[in-house]
């Protein structure tokens, strides 16, 4: 639960980024329906990544590298108990699967894995969305 007040600008940026994340999740679902599992994995990852950046917007923090965004989430939100370790596993899985889907020549993206990525991204975005909503009130 948010225990501090956030600036109007940081709340607006967080809301913008969570909507961007939700749009990426919808793209993942569309690609999944078209059996483009590699593409679906990519968009599910970006849903996760943009969701994490929405949290960081609340703090006025951002990183140039994806690893910095993920590390910040792990350290400041998971290790402190704000979010569960299950959400940490979702983030880690999304990153690993996206890297394999995008960069490994012979990676075969399965329907089951792509579905799991979409479900994980949706779960993470629900949690982050609730956090941002609470921070806004």
């Amino acid at each position: 639960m948010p225990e501090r007040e956030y600036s109007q600008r940081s709340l607006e940026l967080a809301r913008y980024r969570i909507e961007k994340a939700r749009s990426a999740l919808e793209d993942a679902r569309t690609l999944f329906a078209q059996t483009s599992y590699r593409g679906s994995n990519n968009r599910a990852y970006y849903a996760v990544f943009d969701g994490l950046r929405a949290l960081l917007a609340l703090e006025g923090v951002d990183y140039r590298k994806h690893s910095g965004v993920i590390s910040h989430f792990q350290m400041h939100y998971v290790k402190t108990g704000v979010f569960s370790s299950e959400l940490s596993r979702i983030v880690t899985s999304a990153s690993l699967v996206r890297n394999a889907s995008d960069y490994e020549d012979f990676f075969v993206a399965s329907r089951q894995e792509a579905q799991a990525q979409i479900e994980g991204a949706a779960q993470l975005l629900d949690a982050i969305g609730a956090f941002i909503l609470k921070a806004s009130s």
Side-chain angles (χ1 to χ4, degrees):
M1 260 190 232
E3 295 179 8
R4 58 180 260 204
E5 290 189 33
Y6 300 99
S7 74
Q8 190 61 35
R9 184 192 182 299
S10 66
L11 287 166
E12 287 173 12
L13 183 56
R15 287 189 292 263
Y16 169 79
R17 287 180 177 171
I18 198 70
E19 286 310 311
K20 184 178 175 190
R22 289 179 178 138
S23 178
L25 182 58
E26 285 308 309
D27 292 345
R29 289 180 172 136
T30 298
L31 289 164
F32 179 84
Q34 297 170 353
T35 69
S36 177
Y37 303 132
R38 279 183 157 213
S40 179
N41 287 339
N42 175 282
R43 300 319 301 154
Y45 168 77
Y46 276 99
V48 166
F49 180 71
D50 288 333
L52 297 181
R53 288 187 69 233
L55 280 176
L56 273 60
L58 292 174
E59 300 174 57
V61 174
D62 207 359
Y63 294 90
R64 294 180 71 115
K65 295 186 175 188
H66 289 224
S67 60
V69 171
I70 293 168
S71 293
H72 187 94
F73 173 72
Q74 305 290 9
M75 184 158 301
H76 295 275
Y77 290 93
V78 177
K79 287 190 178 185
T80 60
V82 175
F83 290 105
S84 71
S85 59
E86 173 60 25
L87 296 183
S88 175
R89 286 188 287 278
I90 288 168
V91 170
T92 299
S93 175
S95 180
L96 292 171
V97 170
R98 179 263 181 168
N99 281 328
S101 288
D102 285 359
Y103 302 115
E104 290 183 19
D105 290 329
F106 299 107
F107 179 78
V108 176
S110 73
R111 175 181 171 76
Q112 294 79 15
E113 185 62 52
Q115 181 67 42
Q117 294 306 308
I118 289 170
E119 290 170 1
Q123 183 181 344
L124 180 79
L125 294 185
D126 285 348
I128 292 172
F131 186 90
I132 292 169
L133 185 62
K134 184 84 170 169
S136 298
S137 55

